[in-house]
Amino acid sequence: MLSKRDLLQASIAGLAATGLPIVNAEERGQDRAAAQGMSNVPPDWYGKEQMAFLIYPEFTALDMVGAYQMLTGLMGSTAHLIAKTKDPIVSDNGLTFVPSKTFDDCPKDLDILCVPGGASGTLAVMQDDSTLRFLKDRGSRARFVTSVCTGSLVLGAAGLLTGYKATSHWATVPLLPLFGANATKGRVVRDRNRVTAGGVTAGIDFGLSLVGQLRDRQYAECLQLMVEYAPEPPFDARNAGQGPTRSHKNDE
Amino acid sequence: MLSKRDLLQASIAGLAATGLPIVNAEERGQDRAAAQGMSNVPPDWYGKEQMAFLIYPEFTALDMVGAYQMLTGLMGSTAHLIAKTKDPIVSDNGLTFVPSKTFDDCPKDLDILCVPGGASGTLAVMQDDSTLRFLKDRGSRARFVTSVCTGSLVLGAAGLLTGYKATSHWATVPLLPLFGANATKGRVVRDRNRVTAGGVTAGIDFGLSLVGQLRDRQYAECLQLMVEYAPEPPFDARNAGQGPTRSHKNDE
């Protein structure tokens, strides 16, 4: 186990020498460590994951960005922001993103396929044939099929959660059985290669936990330090859908 | 105080009837509650805040999006994504955003001015005259002058933190005195109308706390439920810059 000071130094070295994000630029890759003389970085900290994040009109920006920020911390990985066309996509709070790839030119074999949620936009995309076809295809081969928030309903609509335990935004967990999924409460729910996260901010916990799985605990803790993930929620509404204080515990 | 069930119902009503984000679309506004028949929503839950989030090449996406997601939860508010021009801006992990306004057409009088951080891109923008002029001008009148992560260094470079307590990403807190700020450790640091947050994920805590200040605790807790902000970090690296376990506590 690295000491906290080692983690700190590794993090500073990472920030100063590479910047985790820079490593993800498509034109750069696994030999970045060598190029930058980071000879003391364990070689197995560099991967080559291909990751695709679906976006669509009125998706919830933080669902995607929280997971994206953590998963692009995987040194050597390549992240793609996928939409039906390359036209800018407006999220449900007005943030406008430019996709990097379309359904057609998205890599065929993905390590991580991730679908963020939303509200009315998500309902629409759950009924969009070309989106569902894309998800069915990539999801059939992806190493990890994942979602944040109501993104799990989109995976469900694409038939990708049948027979799997899965979660969603707490308000929509009860809908999961409509898609053959085993509705499960939890911040991050794993069943074989399906990893579904709870609402919005749960994408951060999901992303960081998958980084830990794909690298190791020390690596994930370096990333955690870099993004200063030591949350201090200023209020205490708690998650209504889980935990010992949940309001509908007796309704189950 | 609302009960947890009341919060839940209010949240569901909010999700179903308006969706917090929809309220922020610029063409809609304060009369949305009336239009949607939400007669049981307290009238003072609707505001008219004008909010500007600066973006620049290689900023850190989650710094901005975390704060943006929470602050656009202010019903009736209007959020602007500001850059020097309307050309798309690429963040430090490759996410590409389209600005909604430029320095020239950004509202003159802002309720919230927010600057996200980054690494090399932040160093560059700290030396960009037109950006600093924009920040000095809007910051001189804004109700709240705020930052996430190393965004505080940009505020500092614009002369907006002189004589104020402020924080930054833990790795850069020691740089704040270079700008006349009183370097202060903390997830969210407030001094009069300056509110600065720690690294990356601290933008969520900052945004939610400011929502609580601008509305009330019940409102903020509804928002907290909607974004399911009940974090469960899967690792325990802790924040190296603060808290009882910080590694350089004895160096101070």
Side-chain angles (χ1 to χ4, degrees), chain A residues 62-248:
Chain A
L62 186 55
D63 288 14
M64 182 274 286
V65 176
Y68 187 104
Q69 188 80 41
M70 296 297 131
L71 290 169
T72 54
L74 290 165
M75 290 191 282
S77 68
T78 303
H80 308 283
L81 199 61
I82 308 291
K84 193 183 290 194
T85 72
K86 285 203 175 170
D87 292 341
I89 296 281
V90 185
S91 77
D92 65 3
N93 59 14
L95 285 175
T96 303
F97 294 82
V98 182
S100 65
K101 292 241 184 307
T102 66
F103 296 166
D104 293 330
D105 60 2
C106 175
K108 303 296 180 202
D109 295 298
L110 295 168
D111 293 280
I112 301 171
L113 173 65
C114 183
V115 180
S120 55
T122 307
L123 286 172
V125 85
M126 286 167 65
Q127 302 169 66
D128 182 77
D129 286 340
S130 66
T131 302
L132 298 182
R133 267 200 310 275
F134 168 77
L135 291 175
K136 266 186 229 270
D137 175 72
R138 298 309 194 274
S140 69
R141 293 183 306 277
R143 186 170 166 206
F144 293 98
V145 175
T146 74
S147 64
V148 179
C149 197
T150 54
S152 57
L153 303 180
V154 187
L155 291 182
L160 291 166
L161 293 181
T162 310
Y164 287 87
K165 287 195 293 183
T167 197
S168 189
H169 187 285
W170 56 263
T172 57
V173 169
L175 301 178
L176 286 164
L178 296 174
F179 305 102
N182 177 359
T184 305
K185 286 173 179 161
R187 187 99 178 139
V188 180
V189 170
R190 295 174 190 79
D191 184 357
R192 289 157 282 172
N193 76 333
R194 266 55 167 176
V195 192
T196 51
V200 194
T201 56
I204 296 173
D205 295 323
F206 148 66
L208 184 57
S209 69
L210 191 50
V211 166
Q213 184 175 344
L214 290 170
R215 297 292 186 272
D216 57 36
R217 167 176 286 269
Q218 294 172 8
Y219 187 100
E221 289 181 345
C222 285
L223 177 60
Q224 186 178 10
L225 280 172
M226 283 198 215
V227 298
E228 207 164 320
Y229 189 43
E232 296 179 14
F235 299 102
D236 189 26
R238 298 290 169 87
N239 178 338
Q242 48 191 44
T245 63
R246 65 175 183 258
S247 60
H248 55 293

Side-chain angles (χ1 to χ4, degrees), chain B residues 145 161 163-166 182 189-196:
Chain B
V145 175
L161 292 181
Y164 287 87
K165 286 195 294 182
N182 178 358
V189 169
R190 295 174 189 77
D191 184 358
R192 288 157 282 170
N193 77 333
R194 266 56 167 178
V195 192
T196 50

Side-chain angles (χ1 to χ4, degrees), chain B residues 128-198:
Chain B
D128 182 77
D129 285 341
S130 67
T131 302
L132 298 182
R133 269 199 310 273
F134 168 77
L135 292 175
K136 265 186 230 267
D137 175 71
R138 298 308 194 275
S140 70
R141 293 182 305 277
R143 186 170 166 207
F144 293 98
V145 175
T146 74
S147 64
V148 179
C149 198
T150 54
S152 57
L153 304 180
V154 186
L155 292 182
L160 290 166
L161 292 181
T162 310
Y164 287 87
K165 286 195 294 182
T167 198
S168 190
H169 187 286
W170 56 263
T172 57
V173 169
L175 300 178
L176 285 163
L178 296 174
F179 305 101
N182 178 358
T184 306
K185 286 172 179 161
R187 187 95 177 141
V188 180
V189 169
R190 295 174 189 77
D191 184 358
R192 288 157 282 170
N193 77 333
R194 266 56 167 178
V195 192
T196 50

